[in-house]
Amino acid sequence: MSEQSPLDLAEGDPFGPHNLPYGVFSTPDAPDHRRVGVRIGDHVLDAGAAAHALGSPYAALLARPTLNPLLAAGRTAWRDVRRALTAWVTVPAHRPDIEPLLHPLDTVALHLPYEVSDYVDFYASEHHATNVGRIFRPDGDALTPNWKHLPIGYHGRSGTIVVSGTEVVRPHGQRKAPSDPAPVFGPSVKLDIEAEVGFVVGTPSPLGEPVDLASFEDHVFGLFLLNDWSARDIQAWEYVPLGPFLGKSFATSVSAWVTPLEALTDARVAPPARDFPLLPYLDDADAEVPGGFDIRISVALNGQVVAEPPFAGMYWTAAQQLAHMTVNGASLRTGDVYGSGTVSGPERDQRGSFLELTWNGTEPIELPTGKRTFLEDGDVVTMTAWAPGPDGVRVGLGEVTGRIVGS
Amino acid sequence: MSEQSPLDLAEGDPFGPHNLPYGVFSTPDAPDHRRVGVRIGDHVLDAGAAAHALGSPYAALLARPTLNPLLAAGRTAWRDVRRALTAWVTVPAHRPDIEPLLHPLDTVALHLPYEVSDYVDFYASEHHATNVGRIFRPDGDALTPNWKHLPIGYHGRSGTIVVSGTEVVRPHGQRKAPSDPAPVFGPSVKLDIEAEVGFVVGTPSPLGEPVDLASFEDHVFGLFLLNDWSARDIQAWEYVPLGPFLGKSFATSVSAWVTPLEALTDARVAPPARDFPLLPYLDDADAEVPGGFDIRISVALNGQVVAEPPFAGMYWTAAQQLAHMTVNGASLRTGDVYGSGTVSGPERDQRGSFLELTWNGTEPIELPTGKRTFLEDGDVVTMTAWAPGPDGVRVGLGEVTGRIVGS
């Protein structure tokens, strides 16, 4: 061919055939026709159309407007579909069928890829929890006594999970500084991010039956970047005794792309050494597959990198979080999403929130445009990430971005 | 007619034509054919079939397997459907069409009447919050400083909301008494109830737009009894700093019957006097309709009444809770459910949890079968309730019941 094919990727492209994340897209000529897309390089493959053209039994599953039917189909289907997709984008004989079904990424609209059932957010970085404890409870121990015995988590609002690119309206709410005689109402003055990795459940589980550590990959389909926007002033005033509520529930942004766990086999790493013996349902010392993921996150404010949080150092793993979440018999549903909790490393420039980066606004960070504490209207926060893939190639995670608008 | 009609109810029947709660039912000959039913006396009217027989434009909406399409149809549709139903069960000329569509209540299966979107649980009884504060934080103030300024709430697990009658498996989990050197794992030894009133949202709201106090009845369709089962030992160990999680997420039981707000006009009462001025978005002093509901709850353990919590005394109203939940711009979806929080009155026999009734197990209650603290395997807890209706007739709320089984 005289023209280069979109399938001829540069060597080491982080969205090569070793990656193949899933999303849901539509094209401008048919904005309501949402269907499953698979990212390859800078293009989106219409997966259902490809499956149809090539006679795959999964064509119907991939022509749906959300990933949920694929998620519900279970691990064997996930493996089969991935194997087929890999062949379609790599076997030269398929090119005449596949190439017409590739859409340049910048010509499509990307949608929330799954219908979210329940949303749980964890708190799994020791560095983050220690920083937050010092800031919010300066007179007490930084970590609560339970922190190293169980993965602390809470339910969030699933109805306000939005896809990357959705504008985030600055929330109004109550806040009260210790010196204020009464709470005041207004737009949050401490609007923040939380850089996290999210996980989406495919295979459900019955009520009353815990899901053990070893079953993690039977239930969880994939992962993605997640920004758990947080209004620190609202949160600080409301969160005792029942936890964060309105300080979080206004918006949580997720990437448009879900990276299947199968693409991340080379990224598995052992979690940090544990400081206390774990109860058997959480004890992963003998796990066949290490529980951690070596994901390198980068957080940029208006194009300037402000933090590079390392996911490999998280104290609690996603498998432990799943085992904990269900140990009381709570059931899983297809589309359940859970966040890792803010990813922060030991260094200042590895902190995954402005709360920590600026120590609750008392130590502004320096940017080319001036000193900054929390987010201002018009700010754009973009998270990107990669993980080690096969043969030294990187596996790119789809970005999550959002712009703050005044209210 | 020689035989009495199921529509000839005894005078003052709490499920007479002034009530007409909605549910979803199926009959033994077609267990998968779920459709909307309306309770009248001890019978269930097949509402979709009735609408079809009588040429109502709402026939399709009522033939669905959940209430969600009716909930989403909005307040005008709710009023029209209720008006039609009232005519169908009261106008003698309709009897030949309606009577064949009535099923005795004890011959049908009742299902979860709505698909739950998000679930939020509040904490709106001053007596309950004070009791819990004294028990869990004996060294601090019983009420946190924010309690009288905003309705404290948190998100719960929507996927484990179950219909009345569903068995509740005793959850396993971590607990740690202050004297324990390390947490222990096992079945909860402090399994409890929380007697609450739940509300279900019909009309959704857009992201970024708060729903004000006056719009409560445009968005909320109806209410029902709710039992927020709680494992107090698991909860006590896990809940600091991010709130209750596994101590609650194993099961929440709701009544099979949703009472429309329209049936409760005579039950509206003013909430208690407020001890602090409220911010404008919560200030209901000039509300056209009083925010409270005079609902008298009765809690029975194995058939023996153990508490009679009065809902009229709740400090925060359902309208305030809705306004608070959305003031940060969080959107509402059809099927969002929120609980009032445990209903407790000032008297010991008005407390809506065994935690309070037995003061965390230290003051057992006396039953004919012996002393009791928390729930034992085989226990059945049943909540019933009524509210004042027109002309002194009671409006019955559908019961919520559940039996504890060992795990």
Side-chain angles (χ1 to χ4, degrees), chain B residues 47-374:
Chain B
H52 182 74
L54 294 165
S56 159
Y58 293 106
L61 207 63
L62 296 170
R64 305 288 288 274
T66 76
L67 293 179
N68 292 53
L70 173 63
L71 299 179
R75 195 172 174 186
T76 304
W78 307 340
R79 194 183 51 214
D80 288 353
V81 170
R82 182 171 167 81
R83 194 175 290 157
L85 283 164
T86 305
W88 300 343
V89 299
T90 55
V91 176
H94 292 320
R95 287 199 169 191
D97 287 315
I98 294 299
E99 285 179 350
L101 303 175
L102 292 167
H103 301 267
L105 197 49
D106 56 11
T107 67
V108 304
L110 296 171
H111 306 282
L112 187 64
Y114 34 73
E115 280 179 50
V116 183
S117 298
D118 270 300
Y119 168 44
V120 166
D121 199 24
F122 284 96
Y123 192 56
S125 156
E126 179 175 0
H127 305 292
H128 170 70
T130 303
N131 289 335
V132 171
R134 285 192 184 134
I135 291 168
F136 276 1
R137 296 177 293 278
D139 302 327
D141 290 333
L143 290 185
T144 49
N146 51 15
W147 200 91
K148 292 200 170 173
H149 295 283
L150 54 82
I152 297 278
Y154 66 102
H155 285 88
R157 192 163 186 82
S158 55
T160 52
I161 292 185
V162 297
V163 70
S164 175
T166 307
E167 290 191 332
V168 173
V169 179
R170 181 181 296 272
H172 280 65
Q174 294 195 24
R175 62 176 181 272
K176 183 181 173 300
S179 56
D180 290 334
V184 296
F185 183 83
S188 169
V189 296
K190 288 189 176 177
L191 187 52
D192 197 2
I193 63 160
E194 294 201 329
E196 303 194 20
V197 174
F199 296 81
V200 63
V201 169
T203 309
S205 70
L207 189 63
E209 295 184 18
V211 173
D212 64 18
L213 281 175
S215 302
F216 168 66
E217 282 158 308
D218 292 330
H219 289 275
V220 171
F221 173 79
L223 57 75
F224 46 85
L225 291 172
L226 181 153
N227 184 348
D228 181 34
W229 305 96
S230 299
R232 300 301 181 187
D233 43 355
I234 296 172
Q235 181 185 354
W237 170 233
E238 76 178 356
Y239 91 105
V240 177
L242 299 187
F245 184 33
L246 297 180
K248 303 277 194 171
S249 65
F250 57 96
T252 304
S253 296
V254 293
S255 176
W257 298 107
V258 179
T259 302
L261 295 189
E262 287 178 272
L264 294 162
T265 5
D266 296 284
R268 305 303 292 261
V269 289
R274 278 66 170 77
D275 297 329
F276 291 90
L278 295 178
L279 285 163
Y281 79 97
L282 292 173
D283 187 355
D284 60 357
D286 297 326
E288 265 188 53
V289 179
F293 290 90
D294 180 12
I295 297 171
R296 327 283 177 94
I297 303 171
S298 181
V299 181
L301 173 63
N302 302 325
Q304 182 79 20
V305 173
V306 295
E308 296 188 312
F311 190 66
M314 301 294 274
Y315 195 87
W316 296 104
T317 71
Q320 289 174 318
Q321 291 169 336
L322 192 76
H324 186 62
M325 189 170 14
T326 60
V327 75
N328 67 346
S331 48
L332 298 175
R333 290 182 294 173
T334 299
D336 280 349
V337 164
Y338 62 103
S340 60
T342 309
V343 184
S344 291
E347 306 302 328
R348 178 171 172 179
D349 64 1
Q350 294 180 324
R351 297 175 186 164
S353 71
F354 288 95
L355 176 73
E356 295 164 89
L357 287 166
T358 71
W359 212 252
N360 201 15
T362 60
E363 301 173 11
I365 52 173
E366 302 279 353
L367 290 180
T369 48
K371 290 188 177 185
R372 294 302 298 276
T373 55
F374 290 98

Side-chain angles (χ1 to χ4, degrees), chain A residues 118 146 149 159 174 237 246 328, chain B residues 118 149 159 174 237 246 328:
Chain A
D118 269 299
N146 50 16
H149 296 283
Q174 294 194 24
W237 170 232
L246 297 180
N328 67 348
Chain B
D118 270 300
H149 295 283
Q174 294 195 24
W237 170 233
L246 297 180
N328 67 346

